[in-house]
Amino acid sequence: MFSDTQSRPSAGMRDAMARAEVGDEQAGSDPATNALCARVADLLGMEDAVFMPSGTMCNLVAILVQTRPGDEIVVDGTSHIFNTEAAGAAAIAGVATLPLATRDGVFSAAQAEAAIRPAARTAPRPALISIENTTAFSGGSIWPLGTVREVRDVARRHGLKAHMDGARLLNAVAATGISAANYAAGFDSAWIDLSKGLGCPVGAVLCGTRAFIVEAWRWKYRLGGAMRQSGVLAAAGLYALDHHVAQLKVDNDNAAALDRGLRAIEGVKFEAATQSNILRFTVEGLNATAAAFVEACERRGVRFRATGAHEVRATTHLDVDAAGITRAIDVAGEVAAAFRRGGAGGSSPAA
Ligand SMILES: *Cc1c(COP(=O)(O)O)cnc(C)c1O
């Protein structure tokens, strides 16, 4: 359960992929891809959409379309754009990234406003504000709708574009009941990932105005992201939207159950409430490093991820069921007890 990127295509999804009606995506004649784009544009309340190989390419293309080299983009300091896209924004779009310090990945309108530089010949031109809903590395936080709107309005007031990295937007929707279109209203660009909780092998869908998508297509093509019989992949996305969206609520509930179980373990500490399908906790109270804790759990068949010296992350997804949650809690409890006794996480394979 260390990441929802580990989700595997279900049997039904593989079947839908095998039966996909296909054409040529580049020529605009792949029926499943066109249907997927129309469906996601509608879901997010946007005019148009383009199918992308990855969420990373959605972020990069949104930045490429809406900035010029030398511009600056404002993001949260724990964001995917800032930390794990190999500085694509700098390397390919030529923009500077201004990371805001946050506790949980959610910044305020006041923070955004203060980060926008006044026009000056000597300063980079602020061009875009990006928010991540839900947040990834800060623990699956859900942006309050009011804050989403306020930050968007700050961008508008200053003539900046507003971008939403909605890799897990549907997890926020599942948790709050607020529609995706409501969250994305007034944003210039927004996207959802198909390969996380939705369980597709690959893909993401980037949305915006018709004019934005025309330019996004040009960049997709330039970057080598244009496909041919992409309907095989798009069919997985359509299948996921039909059959896996309800699962996101289950994933959120499983995460809440895991949270309750882990919180009850002496020495395991949470700094924040678990809001969606990602949990973050520390094992410092066990005198264990995150790496040692994770390794000891893995020896017992449960995979967490070490994300800091003492910080551990867990993610629920459609391949983790209630029995898996119980097992994870039991294993974490056993390992914690072993560390509390001063052992290195209990029996090693040799012991
Ligand atoms: C996973 C993720 C991405 C990147 O998506 P890929 O499809 O893995 O390229 C971007 N932003 C967030 C918040 C993510 O969680």
Side-chain angles (χ1 to χ4, degrees), residues 54-56 59 80 85 132 134 136 165 167-168 191 193 195-196:
S54 69
T56 300
N59 278 336
H80 202 276
E85 296 184 8
E132 223 176 76
T134 65
D165 173 340
R168 295 186 187 79
W191 63 272
D193 211 319
S195 72
K196 304 276 169 78

